[in-house]
Amino acid sequence: MHFDVPFGPVIGKVSLPEDKFKTVLALVEDLRAQKEKKLAGMGLAGEIEKEWKIDKVLLEKHGLSKMLEECVEKYANQMNNRYYRQILMPQNENDNKLVTKSAWLNVMKRYEYNPIHYHTGCKLSCILYVKTPDLMKSNVSLKPDSIRKNKDHRPDGRVEFIYGSSIKGSGNRATCRYRPKAGDLYIFPSFLLHTVYPFDNEGERISIAANF
């Protein structure tokens, strides 16, 4: 696991091995094949048509709960400073382990997005990327590539985390943007603000989000 520290909160990143990723693909295939899916969008921030709940049966069938919980526990064990101990402190005798409280599948298409938001009712959250579009072919951004320092800096389809303000001399970046690829797992404190930018091509951006 790689730990990225762009500001106060730490972002954990894992690249799933091929065998683990195959189980994720099988779960997604199972869910998409279901005739009656439970919509998750009612309590979510996203402007996304296809947001489906992943129930406990499906999570356990494919071993996704166990896999995610092992990664989250590893992340939590590294967060041993006073700040994180307070966040992860058990609230009662039944709250001494990080377990999957909720999970859902996001299938984003052209122009859909997630506005700035955070997750409630949990301590830690994660995003697991199942499929990503070719963002270099997206044209949402209006700024010509010719005046960019780097064409790869386009925000299209990326996830961005936000914390505090960027004050000169403070060393705080305030934002951190990633271009995820299939198999990438990001773990972060549930209070950390984040957003997902729209993209402009025919591809899909599929991810699994979960709270612990």
Side-chain angles (χ1 to χ4, degrees), residues 7 116-118 160-164 189-195:
F7 31 52
I116 296 173
H117 66 286
Y118 59 93
E160 185 165 23
F161 295 93
I162 303 146
Y163 185 77
S190 60
F191 63 78
L192 184 59
L193 291 169
H194 53 288
T195 184

Side-chain angles (χ1 to χ4, degrees), residues 1-5 8-14 69-88 98 124 187 189:
M1 180 178 291
H2 171 75
F3 296 94
D4 199 0
V5 192
V10 176
I11 299 169
K13 182 184 175 185
V14 177
E69 287 165 8
E70 287 176 351
C71 291
V72 168
E73 284 285 351
K74 186 175 181 180
Y75 170 90
N77 289 337
Q78 294 295 319
M79 303 301 104
N80 58 3
N81 59 44
R82 187 175 182 181
Y83 173 67
Y84 273 88
R85 283 202 299 270
Q86 184 175 358
I87 295 172
L88 299 171
L98 290 163
L124 299 176
I187 304 169

Side-chain angles (χ1 to χ4, degrees), residues 88-104:
L88 299 171
M89 185 180 298
Q91 302 299 310
N92 53 61
E93 60 182 13
N94 298 317
D95 188 37
N96 58 2
K97 187 177 180 182
L98 290 163
V99 297
T100 309
K101 293 188 173 183
S102 60
W104 61 97

Side-chain angles (χ1 to χ4, degrees), residues 55-142:
D55 61 34
K56 185 177 180 180
V57 174
L58 201 58
L59 287 170
E60 293 184 352
K61 174 185 175 182
H62 294 279
L64 188 59
S65 281
K66 182 180 179 181
M67 182 182 71
L68 291 179
E69 287 165 8
E70 287 176 351
C71 291
V72 168
E73 284 285 351
K74 186 175 181 180
Y75 170 90
N77 289 337
Q78 294 295 319
M79 303 301 104
N80 58 3
N81 59 44
R82 187 175 182 181
Y83 173 67
Y84 273 88
R85 283 202 299 270
Q86 184 175 358
I87 295 172
L88 299 171
M89 185 180 298
Q91 302 299 310
N92 53 61
E93 60 182 13
N94 298 317
D95 188 37
N96 58 2
K97 187 177 180 182
L98 290 163
V99 297
T100 309
K101 293 188 173 183
S102 60
W104 61 97
L105 183 74
N106 299 302
V107 182
M108 293 179 67
K109 59 183 186 293
R110 173 181 277 171
Y111 305 140
E112 293 184 331
Y113 64 95
N114 246 313
I116 296 173
H117 66 286
Y118 59 93
H119 295 193
T120 59
C122 55
K123 298 175 180 179
L124 299 176
S125 298
C126 75
I127 308 171
L128 171 58
Y129 292 91
V130 181
K131 181 181 179 182
T132 57
D134 185 350
L135 299 179
M136 299 306 288
K137 294 181 180 178
S138 179
N139 294 302
V140 172
S141 179
L142 300 178

